Amino acid sequence: MNLFAEIRTAVIAALETLVQAGDLPAGLDYAAVAVEPPRDKLHGDMATNAAMVLAKPAGLKPRDIAEALAAVLTQDGRIVVAEVAGPGFLNLRLAPSVWADVAGAALALGRDFGRSAMGAGQKVNVEYVSANPTGPLHVGHTRGAVFGDALAALLAFAGHEVTREYYINDGGAQVDTLARSVFLRYQEAHDLSVDWPEGSYPGDYLIEVGEALKAKVGNAYLDEPEEVWLDAVRSFATDAMLALIRSDLKLLNVEMDVFFSEKSLYGTGLIEAAIDDLRGKGLIYTGTLEPPKGKLPEDWEPREQTLFKSTAYGDDVDRPIMKSDGSWTYFAPDIAYHYDKVQRGFDQLIDVFGADHGGYVKRMKAAVAALSENRVPVDIKLCQLVKLFKNGEPFKMSKRAGTFVTLRDVVEQVGPDVTRFVMLTRKNDAPLDFDFDKAVEQSKENPVFYVQYAHARVASVLRRAAEMGIDTACTDFAIEDEAELELAKKIAEWPRLVEIAARTHEPHRVAFYLNEIASDLHTLYNKGNEAVQLRFLQEADPATSARKIALARAAQVVISAGLGILGVTPAEEMR
RNA sequence: GCACCCGUAGCUCAGCUGGAUAGAGCGCUGCCCUCCGAAGGCAGAGGCCAGGGGUUCGAAUCCCUUCGGGUGCGCCA
């Protein structure tokens, strides 16, 4: 139940009434009519721009439309005051009972309150993490993992059918490097001393993989040339890395529906099929690209290549899909992978990448647009860097991986709940500072704590109420004070916020909202210190107390639902 | 050189498909702790929304441009 949507429906019905009465011309487009919370709450509870939006097409003055609209709307029992303001806004003030009804819905629906049918019938694929299977996940992946996971949950909450997917880059040269690195560890496991060539993966995490390989094959590969063991070791190593990555994800409670292997596209005709599809559309050709302007690669020379005409779909230059030795570039399997997603019938694709893949966005969009004939939109969300701090000092090294801090390092220090919440306290395209100490600090500056505390505070009130024999299942409300009204209104905003966040693909909005509703709850609670009649717990008047507690429970339900979307456990107590 | 992202209070950042007098936290100033949990609370000061043009009844938001920061830029994925 989205109260804003309901009032908007009422506004449009009222406009129709005006049309019937001949006060407005028929056939107006109401699409731009909005009902929103006003910026300044002194203006009322909701405002509509209907009169201003319709003034021009209707050929009338905004204020005249607004006056007429106000007259009709005040006949609605929910609307107490409708007054024209500014250039033609219509400010609405709602009856207190309306807010109580919304809070009542929250209690009745529990964590399903705010669930939307917005995405009904929409199949969405969210691809995230997709880290190369060459080592443990690091901090950057962590942000992508949390973001993608929260976004998937948010879309599901908004009614979409969501598939969470991980693309395994196991087809390129980097898994060969992995295999060779594991082979070196395998040699070490046999007490041989080895040289680490430039570009190999020297992290400690491969030591046990080398030992496991020894345990499996003994000394069978020791004196053999690469041709003998490369395939087998690569497959052994990528399996091990994938197991590592899965266990990393599990630490964060991230669970994928599909792990899609790049390798599975090779030798199966899938890449060829995707490229053929593009060729059939006249988008594949052989040609020579212009050199990039400015800093020229040193070994630049004009070269004829097989190209995808991505410029036909908004890219800046056409992109090579085949190397000069006839093998595919990395782009070709990616095209095939997205072709596969399109063929699986998704209505919408979302790719979550690191910000360093920004240059990849246009060609990927071009590819999907071409493959789906503009049917399937693809939204590519870029996650910016995470800078780690400890005691305000930059924090860089990992004991495990050597050169980078791992997901495991982070989660082991602050836990999955804190990791997830903090990662969502910034917009995805804004850089994020993550301070280990602040993240676990128990103070108002720490949003994780602040929101958890609000939830726990209600739990605490409920426990004490039960001891005092106060009804904790009451569904009547006593919403009188300004602070109570604020909280009730904030609860009513939840369904609308879900839809906005889902539409914009921005789960951080949920985190910010939770901070606000927590703030309203704390404010109300603190007000009870001075104004005794505002306290939730009132031994002398259990009936009133029960109705106050009902509001606290409604807020708690919303906080719980919001945390659920973010993948954070609501705390029952903070000790 | 080109493309993408970003530029909002001293600091870190929100800001809804364009809406009214641009918000929050920290920091700062002043009050407040025998009180349902003060691991705080209340109030106040503080902004040319980087600069300039344009579209619009209306622009932090859309378009153009300048400046400043980040990322990327033909057989690496």
Side-chain angles (χ1 to χ4, degrees):
Chain A
M1 114 169 234
N2 182 342
L3 188 57
F4 293 87
E6 289 179 13
I7 297 297
R8 181 175 183 273
T9 304
V11 167
I12 286 171
L15 290 168
E16 274 302 315
T17 306
L18 293 179
V19 171
Q20 297 300 320
D23 294 331
L24 271 181
L28 290 173
D29 181 9
Y30 299 137
V33 173
V35 173
E36 301 172 320
R39 182 168 284 174
D40 188 334
K41 59 190 168 198
L42 292 176
H43 293 139
D45 298 318
M46 292 186 185
T48 178
N49 61 356
M52 287 182 291
V53 173
L54 298 177
K56 191 181 276 184
L60 295 166
K61 290 181 192 161
R63 293 192 67 101
D64 291 345
I65 301 178
E67 299 284 0
L69 187 58
V72 179
L73 280 173
T74 40
Q75 290 166 25
D76 190 310
R78 294 168 295 181
I79 298 170
V80 184
V81 178
E83 56 189 3
V84 185
F89 280 104
L90 190 56
N91 291 329
L92 308 177
R93 202 169 294 276
L94 304 186
S97 64
V98 172
W99 307 109
D101 287 348
V102 181
L107 287 184
L109 296 169
R111 290 179 55 151
D112 286 330
F113 174 69
R115 230 174 238 289
S116 167
M118 185 182 101
Q122 284 266 312
K123 280 182 69 180
V124 183
N125 182 291
V126 185
E127 181 206 331
Y128 55 110
V129 191
S130 297
N132 290 342
T134 56
L137 298 177
H138 57 65
V139 216
H141 299 131
T142 307
R143 186 171 187 185
V146 170
F147 175 84
D149 207 51
L151 176 56
L154 173 62
L155 291 171
F157 198 70
H160 300 80
E161 187 184 325
V162 179
T163 300
R164 300 155 192 244
E165 193 151 322
Y166 185 120
Y167 180 60
I168 310 164
N169 286 282
D170 55 0
Q174 79 282 358
V175 284
D176 288 345
T177 305
L178 172 73
R180 293 187 189 105
S181 302
V182 166
F183 188 76
L184 293 172
R185 291 299 190 191
Y186 165 74
Q187 289 179 308
E188 282 184 340
H190 283 92
D191 295 322
L192 298 170
S193 74
V194 300
D195 290 328
W196 290 88
E198 200 64 27
S200 53
Y201 303 129
D204 289 352
Y205 57 90
L206 290 183
I207 292 175
E208 56 185 284
V209 182
E211 280 165 359
L213 182 61
K214 176 187 172 187
K216 186 186 173 199
V217 304
N219 58 7
Y221 296 153
L222 260 194
D223 301 314
E224 298 294 338
E226 189 173 294
E227 301 82 72
V228 173
W229 51 260
L230 186 64
D231 282 352
V233 173
R234 184 174 46 221
S235 145
F236 183 83
T238 50
D239 283 353
M241 289 305 99
L242 220 52
L244 179 63
I245 287 167
R246 281 176 195 262
S247 75
D248 281 353
L249 290 176
K250 195 162 188 189
L251 287 177
L252 263 185
N253 303 315
V254 172
E255 216 156 309
M256 297 287 174
D257 298 312
V258 176
F259 281 84
F260 193 102
S261 158
E262 176 192 357
K263 208 172 138 196
S264 73
L265 295 165
Y266 288 94
T268 50
L270 289 170
I271 297 178
E272 291 75 6
I275 301 302
D276 280 348
D277 182 280
L278 295 176
R279 185 173 285 117
K281 290 166 178 155
L283 296 169
I284 302 293
Y285 70 102
T286 309
T288 307
L289 290 175
E290 291 290 310
K293 298 248 159 70
K295 59 166 188 187
L296 203 61
E298 288 181 14
D299 58 344
W300 170 266
E301 57 183 73
R303 211 175 271 126
E304 191 162 84
Q305 296 169 303
T306 304
L307 299 164
F308 164 49
K309 198 173 174 51
S310 54
T311 48
Y313 288 88
D315 201 357
D316 306 309
V317 288
D318 294 338
R319 304 291 175 176
I321 55 165
M322 198 175 263
K323 303 179 191 172
S324 53
D325 66 0
S327 64
W328 300 113
T329 65
Y330 59 89
F331 189 34
D334 269 7
I335 292 173
Y337 173 45
H338 284 78
Y339 182 60
D340 184 79
K341 288 197 225 179
V342 168
Q343 295 219 310
R344 274 187 273 156
F346 290 106
D347 299 296
Q348 199 183 146
L349 305 181
I350 299 174
D351 292 348
V352 179
F353 293 158
D356 54 344
H357 285 62
Y360 201 53
V361 170
K362 282 191 180 180
R363 80 192 67 171
M364 211 61 251
K365 286 192 171 190
V368 174
L371 290 166
S372 73
E373 280 148 25
N374 286 316
R375 183 184 72 83
V376 181
V378 52
D379 187 15
I380 299 181
K381 306 296 279 187
L382 301 176
C383 288
Q384 270 290 352
L385 293 177
V386 179
K387 283 186 226 156
L388 293 172
F389 294 87
K390 197 170 173 65
N391 288 320
E393 298 287 314
F395 184 81
K396 278 196 165 27
M397 294 289 274
S398 158
K399 48 190 186 293
R400 220 171 264 104
T403 53
F404 55 86
V405 178
T406 64
L407 179 151
R408 189 172 291 264
D409 290 327
V410 177
V411 176
E412 281 177 358
Q413 286 214 33
V414 302
D417 285 338
V418 169
T419 305
R420 293 188 62 123
F421 198 103
V422 173
M423 290 287 174
L424 292 166
T425 53
R426 287 284 175 274
K427 238 177 343 196
N428 60 289
D429 54 8
L432 170 72
D433 290 346
F434 189 117
D435 192 301
F436 285 106
D437 299 307
K438 281 187 185 158
V440 292
E441 194 174 272
Q442 301 208 330
S443 74
K444 189 182 174 179
E445 290 90 86
N446 181 355
V448 196
F449 170 78
Y450 195 63
V451 173
Q452 289 277 32
Y453 184 27
H455 188 274
R457 204 166 217 180
V458 177
S460 169
V461 165
L462 292 177
R463 283 191 296 269
R464 288 212 45 196
E467 289 167 12
M468 294 162 72
I470 296 169
D471 178 13
T472 56
C474 175
T475 54
D476 280 340
F477 298 90
I479 300 173
E480 288 143 7
D481 185 80
E482 194 55 37
E484 293 168 335
L485 204 52
E486 283 302 306
L487 182 56
K489 288 178 184 178
K490 191 61 73 177
I491 291 167
E493 273 181 40
W494 171 239
R496 179 172 180 271
L497 182 112
V498 168
E499 294 189 347
I500 292 171
R503 190 179 62 233
T504 54
H505 300 166
E506 294 182 338
H508 76 275
R509 289 174 190 272
V510 174
F512 279 92
Y513 169 84
L514 288 176
N515 214 37
E516 288 170 12
I517 191 171
S519 172
D520 287 341
L521 183 79
H522 288 311
T523 297
L524 173 57
Y525 187 95
N526 289 321
K527 220 171 165 181
N529 289 329
E530 300 292 328
V532 178
Q533 75 280 7
L534 289 181
R535 294 182 191 176
F536 297 121
L537 297 174
Q538 306 206 19
E539 202 145 23
D541 187 355
T544 301
S545 187
R547 291 203 298 274
K548 303 239 179 243
I549 288 170
L551 181 63
R553 279 175 56 222
Q556 190 194 33
V557 155
V558 172
I559 293 172
S560 173
L563 288 173
I565 288 171
L566 304 187
V568 177
T569 321
E572 290 298 312
E573 54 182 357
M574 300 304 291
R575 293 178 206 287

